[in-house]
Structures are given as structure tokens and as C-alpha cells.
Amino acid sequence: MATGENPHLARGHRFDPSARGGGTLVGSWAAGWTEYPERTCLVLGPEHTLSYGDLEAASRRAAGKLRAAGLDRGDRVILSAASSVHLVVAHVACLRAGLVVVPTNTAYRATELQHVVGDAKPRAAIIDDPERAEWIRGADERVLTLSPDLPLPDGPEIELDGAAPNDPALIGYTSGTTGQPKGAVLSQHNLASSIEALRLAWRWTSDDRLALSLPLFHMHGLGVGLHGTLHAGASAILLPRFEPDAVFDAISAHGATLFFGVPTMYHRLAESPRVGELSALRLCVSGSAPLPAELHTRFEELTDQKILERYGMTETAMLVSNPVDGQRRPGTVGLPLPGVEMRLRGDPAEIEVRGPNIFAGYWERPDANSEAFTADGFFRTGDLGALDEEGYLVISGRARELLISGGYNVYPREVEEALAEDPRILEAAVVGTPSPEWGDAITAYLVTANEEEISPEAVRKFLASRLAPYKHPRILFRVDALPRNALGKLQKHRLQGGRVLEKE
Ligand code: MCA
Ligand code: AMP
């Protein structure tokens, strides 16, 4: 689809997601392996870098091992580990071999992980923690669990990079309003389209070096940060975890030019005495959660950087972005990226999108698909929006019950259900309290049995085996009853007061 008119495109540029490598993610990468094998691709420290040629060879070998272990095209592979070269190599190898990666948060507890295993039915899991490996085998003993360095015998030479555009490449688990998380199936072409749009819109070139401290098990770090780096023939400085000093050092020691983060990271960077060092970057991008306009302005005062805010989803990869050239408007997410058609429908208006980056449907969930798409093929995002006077998109709310804490989605219903399993808790309601650090600080109102007090420690202990820690309430209140209307419907907007059990 050519959208020569798109405001993100520099003069003379066209958006054609099939132009390079036949419109697949691995095809676009393969073009790079041969064009510039000597170029640096990953930086891990002063003495440790990996070139494109190194990544090609390492992922070729890893793909052979996986094939020898019995994995074949279309098989699902869970990937759940802290960032490392081994993880990157394993991920690239899976995609090159036509396997379907299922990135999974390392904070997931047994029940959350076992749901993904039961649903995706993986053949293997690449995982860096023996306890989580055990949970996986507990759900399905046939799953081959492997550490990211793939301790397997070498395998045969196999055909690589031959995926067709519509072949599934990645299944990202995400929840809607109800029920358990569903797998959004993204094809090779969906992922290639999204990063080609970003390459053009963000003027991403081989001179760029991304300080990559986002985890590699969600769309932001993986589908934007890593995939985009490999597609642009650029390099990434791989940071095993987010720490402000590590980001500043990535600039001073390795010449980083780009930083991508969630608002919590920008909040923490802004608090550091070294924040001014970020003025050396070419571009700072924020996404995954709303960036407060106040933080945008304060950050500019501290660093001269106008953070570029963008909007995306697991199901769609990136959708809308503020422009590199042109106004970056605080409090807005910008203008549709090349290839993305966007419309606002209904009252309140829901954001609907269509384009080559948008997934075809949820894994084995025809029921969810019929609800998720309109008759004319637009995906209903569940986000509410409006256009400002310059036509920039403002995300004004959400049609579904979703909280975002530190860039991670938290569904109140899931937390309420977990709390309600505790016999000491009669009823629970979960809401978000605005927090400058976390965005939504997860807050629970509890009605406890027999007036019995329940301590924050007891709640935490009860949830420990059930929910990832980032879903745990940071603020707890005890109330005598939850506010309901005459029909018995819970009225969350009336939740206030109660006895404070714990506050962040
Ligand atoms: C960690 N903790 C959290 C969170 N993260 N609590 C609430 N919300 C969180 N997000 C808790 C831990 O459980 C722990 O609790 C304590 O904070 C310290 O843990 P630590 O690991 O040290 O935390 P951290 O390293 O400081 O983590 C904060 C973080 C991290 C760096 C902001 O949450 C993060 O990497 N967020 C990025 C999420 C992301 O990649 N989202 C993209 C989704 P305790 O002390 O009780 O043990 S993709 C997406 O949304 C779409 C596609 C998009 O548009 O991008
Ligand atoms: P996920 O399901 O983890 O992919 O999260 C996608 C959701 O994150 C979107 O539907 C939005 O609600 C939210 N989101 C992503 N980027 C932004 C942003 N810049 N501003 C507000 N919300 C955002």
C-alpha cells in the first residue's frame, strides 16, 4: 500500500512494506546479513560486540539445533528470559526457522504461565529460570525446556528465512475485558510492515545506536526495539535491566543515539542528576502508557529533548506517532503511521484501525475475533480517542477496564478474582490511583470476613503464587461494603475512604 501523502514520510520516500526481503521480517533481515556482515549489530560492553555476520552465524547454528531437537515450521516456542545475547540469538533463530515465538513475561507466576502453555501448546520453551521451567513441564510434560544458550547438539543445515508473508511469526498474549489472556497472532508481514513504517517515520538509519533496556518479551522492546534495529541495519546496546545510570553510560561509553522507554523510565531518568546527559541523543521515544504532558515539558527543560510519544498495541504493533519533523505535541500520540488507516467511531469515540501491520486474529479464538473486528475489517482497539485542533490523536480513555502500571497492562478483574480466592476476603474491587511514577498505582478495596483484619503482608503472600508482582496492589483499603447501585452493580467511581492498610 503506497501512502505517499503520509505526514511522517520525508520528501521522496514511499512506504512499501514489501520492498525489502519480500515483505517478511526475516527476509528484510536476511538482506542485511549479506549486505553488511561486518557492521556492529549488538553492543554488550566495551569488549563485547556482535556483528551482523556473527548474528547470522550464531542464529543459523541455533536454528539447526532446534530442528535437530524436533521442532518444525509453525511450532510454537515460548521465550521468557532476561535480555541477553543468547536470548536474541534464540529469538532470531526461531523466526528464521519458521517457528512461532511466544514472548512471555518473566514475572508471570505458575498459573499465568501455565495458561499460556495450555493455550499456545508450545513444543519448546526457552527460559532462564529452572523454577519456571518446572511450572511449564507441570502444565505439559511434553514441552522441551531449554536455557537460552540452547545446550543441544548441533543439527543439520536447514533452509532459513523462507517464511511467506502471511506465516505466523509471533503470538503475543494480551487480555480483553473478560476472560483469560488471548494470543494475538502476528504474521511475518505484520511485523515487517510495522518496523518499515517506523524506520521511515523515525528516520532510523545504520548510524543509530539504541540504548535498549526494555524487556525483550513485549512488543515495545522486541517488536519495536530489537526488530527495528535489525531492520534498519543499526545497532543496539543491550542493557539487561533498566537503570538510569546504565542508560547514561550507554551514551557516554557507546555513543547511543536513541532511547525508547515507558513513562516510568522517563520519570526516573528525570530524577537523576545526570539527566542532562540525555541531550546527546538524537531521539527519545515514549510509549506503552500515557506520558503526562507535565513530564514531557519538564523533560524538555532538563534535556532539550522533546520526547516523541507514540501509541501501539500487541495486536497491531505501532499505530500512531508524533512526527520527527514537525510538532511533537505533549498529551497527544500524534498522527497515523504510514500504512495505518484510523477512524474514530461511536460516542464516546473508539479508535479503530486497519493496515498491513494489524494482526489477523486471536489464536484459536473465532468468538473473540468476531467481536474484535468490524465488518469492514477495522480492529477495535478498545481505546477511546479524540483529535485535537491540529488533527493529533489524544487517547481520552478506555472502553475496556485496563490499568497500566509502569508500562505493564493490569486487568482489574484478574486481580479481583485472585483476591476473592482468599477466604479471608469477601469482596474486592480494584482501581488505579494516579501516580507520577507508575501511571496507575494498583489499588484494592477489600471487604474482609468477620471484621477480621487482613494485613498487607498476608495479601502479598496470598497473591505471590497467583499473580505477577507488578499486578499486586500497591495501595490497600479495608471497607465495610463496596458501593453498589439499586441493581447491585458495583460503582467503582464511588470508591473512596476506608481504612488504609497500606499506601505506596
Ligand atoms: C516492577 N515492579 C512493578 C513494575 N515493575 N510494580 C508495578 N508496575 C510495574 N511495571 C515492582 C516489582 O515487582 C518489585 O516489587 C519492584 O517493583 C522493583 O522491581 P524491579 O524489577 O527492580 O523493578 P524495575 O526494574 O524498577 O521495573 C520498573 C520498570 C519495569 C523498569 C519500569 O516495570 C519495566 O521494564 N517496564 C516496561 C514494561 C514494558 O516493556 N511494557 C511494554 C508492553 P517488590 O519490591 O514488591 O518485589 S508492550 C505495549 O504496551 C504496547 C505494544 C506498546 O505500546 O508499547
Ligand atoms: P498491550 O496490550 O500491552 O499491547 O497494551 C496496549 C495498550 O497500551 C493500548 O491499547 C493503550 O491503551 C496503551 N498505550 C500504548 N501506548 C500508549 C500511549 N502512548 N498513551 C496511552 N496509552 C497507550
Side-chain angles (χ1 to χ4, degrees):
M1 185 188 311
T3 48
E5 301 290 297
N6 187 282
H8 289 285
L9 295 176
R11 185 171 308 177
H13 283 190
R14 272 184 73 238
F15 171 65
D16 177 359
S18 300
R20 191 171 155 93
T24 65
L25 187 67
V26 289
S28 102
W29 294 349
W33 315 135
T34 40
E35 271 172 49
Y36 36 76
E38 74 299 333
R39 202 184 277 171
T40 299
C41 159
L42 290 180
V43 179
L44 299 124
E47 305 291 315
H48 193 177
T49 64
L50 214 72
S51 69
Y52 276 87
D54 294 336
L55 181 59
E56 194 286 326
S59 57
R60 173 176 294 277
R61 181 165 173 223
K65 290 181 176 190
L66 291 168
R67 178 62 54 83
L71 277 83
D72 216 339
R73 304 186 85 77
D75 283 342
R76 275 81 55 212
V77 179
I78 286 185
L79 262 100
S80 185
S83 295
S84 69
V85 175
H86 288 310
L87 182 67
V88 172
V89 168
H91 173 69
V92 170
C94 287
L95 290 177
R96 296 187 73 191
L99 305 173
V100 182
V101 296
V102 186
T104 308
N105 199 315
T106 53
Y108 278 1
R109 308 304 296 165
T111 333
E112 295 158 307
L113 191 53
Q114 290 179 340
H115 166 70
V116 176
V117 174
D119 197 70
K121 299 185 263 305
R123 283 289 300 277
I126 295 170
I127 196 150
D128 60 359
D129 170 27
E131 187 184 27
R132 281 185 289 124
E134 219 167 275
W135 296 340
I136 289 179
R137 288 191 302 269
D140 182 347
E141 62 186 15
R142 293 164 303 178
V143 180
L144 175 68
T145 53
L146 296 164
S147 52
D149 58 339
L150 305 180
L152 292 167
D154 281 329
E157 272 286 318
I158 56 169
E159 196 214 319
L160 296 173
D161 310 326
N166 288 333
D167 285 352
L170 184 151
I171 302 183
Y173 273 78
T174 176
S175 292
T177 16
T178 52
Q180 300 261 40
K182 306 181 280 289
V185 186
L186 287 137
S187 69
Q188 286 277 344
H189 191 59
N190 295 148
L191 296 171
S193 301
S194 177
I195 51 161
E196 173 61 1
L198 295 183
R199 185 184 70 82
L200 292 166
W202 295 351
R203 317 285 191 258
W204 205 336
T205 73
S206 57
D207 292 333
D208 278 313
R209 285 194 159 197
L210 171 68
L212 181 51
S213 59
L214 285 155
L216 296 181
F217 40 72
H218 280 295
M219 187 55 79
H220 197 164
L222 190 68
V224 180
L226 181 66
H227 293 178
T229 296
L230 300 184
H231 177 66
S235 56
I237 303 144
L238 202 58
L239 304 175
R241 57 186 311 259
F242 172 76
E243 235 148 3
D245 281 340
V247 177
F248 304 127
D249 293 346
I251 300 171
S252 53
H254 304 298
T257 63
L258 299 174
F259 176 75
F260 300 165
V262 299
T264 303
M265 294 177 177
Y266 284 101
H267 173 86
R268 292 189 187 171
L269 289 168
E271 306 226 304
S272 165
R274 295 178 65 186
V275 65
E277 296 178 32
L278 295 177
S279 56
L281 293 169
R282 180 177 76 76
L283 187 66
C284 290
V285 179
S286 174
S288 308
L291 180 76
E294 176 278 324
L295 179 54
H296 190 285
T297 312
R298 185 155 47 94
F299 206 79
E300 187 178 354
E301 285 162 12
L302 292 166
T303 63
D304 270 344
Q305 292 284 350
K306 277 184 197 289
I307 299 173
L308 181 148
E309 185 170 4
R310 58 73 183 160
Y311 159 59
M313 294 181 76
T314 299
E315 291 94 331
T316 63
M318 297 304 104
L319 292 167
V320 177
S321 170
N322 272 277
V324 164
D325 295 331
Q327 269 195 73
R328 299 182 199 162
R329 294 174 69 83
T332 80
V333 291
L335 305 162
L337 283 160
V340 176
E341 288 175 79
M342 182 187 83
R343 69 186 183 196
L344 298 173
R345 270 222 317 188
D347 185 14
E350 183 173 355
I351 304 164
E352 296 183 350
V353 288
R354 190 164 70 174
N357 52 312
I358 289 158
F359 80 135
Y362 294 104
W363 173 252
E364 297 186 337
R365 290 295 301 273
D367 54 323
N369 291 338
S370 54
E371 267 172 48
F373 290 92
T374 64
D376 56 350
F378 278 77
F379 174 62
R380 297 191 171 104
T381 62
D383 293 312
L384 304 176
L387 299 183
D388 77 357
E389 63 281 9
E390 297 285 333
Y392 282 47
L393 180 67
V394 175
I395 298 179
S396 50
R398 299 189 190 104
R400 64 211 147 118
E401 252 202 291
L402 163 67
L403 303 175
I404 308 182
S405 168
Y408 285 140
N409 289 2
V410 180
Y411 297 88
R413 168 112 173 243
E414 187 187 8
V415 184
E416 287 161 2
E417 283 173 5
L419 286 166
E421 282 174 27
D422 187 330
R424 295 163 298 189
I425 296 174
L426 291 180
E427 281 189 298
V430 170
V431 294
T433 301
S435 150
E437 180 173 14
W438 297 107
D440 293 315
I442 310 303
T443 304
Y445 288 82
L446 306 176
V447 181
T448 55
N450 308 322
E451 289 296 306
E452 184 192 334
E453 290 300 351
I454 179 161
S455 69
E457 294 69 42
V459 175
R460 246 195 306 277
K461 199 159 165 225
F462 184 78
L463 293 179
S465 64
R466 293 170 167 81
L467 287 181
Y470 66 85
K471 300 177 185 173
H472 293 190
R474 291 186 162 266
I475 303 176
L476 279 174
F477 291 103
R478 194 199 158 275
V479 287
D480 290 332
L482 296 177
R484 297 186 181 276
N485 68 11
L487 300 172
K489 187 174 165 0
L490 181 63
Q491 295 183 301
K492 285 197 171 175
H493 62 278
R494 286 180 48 212
L495 279 170
Q496 54 191 339
R499 213 168 85 70
V500 180
L501 294 178
E502 185 174 58
K503 231 165 169 195
E504 77 165 344

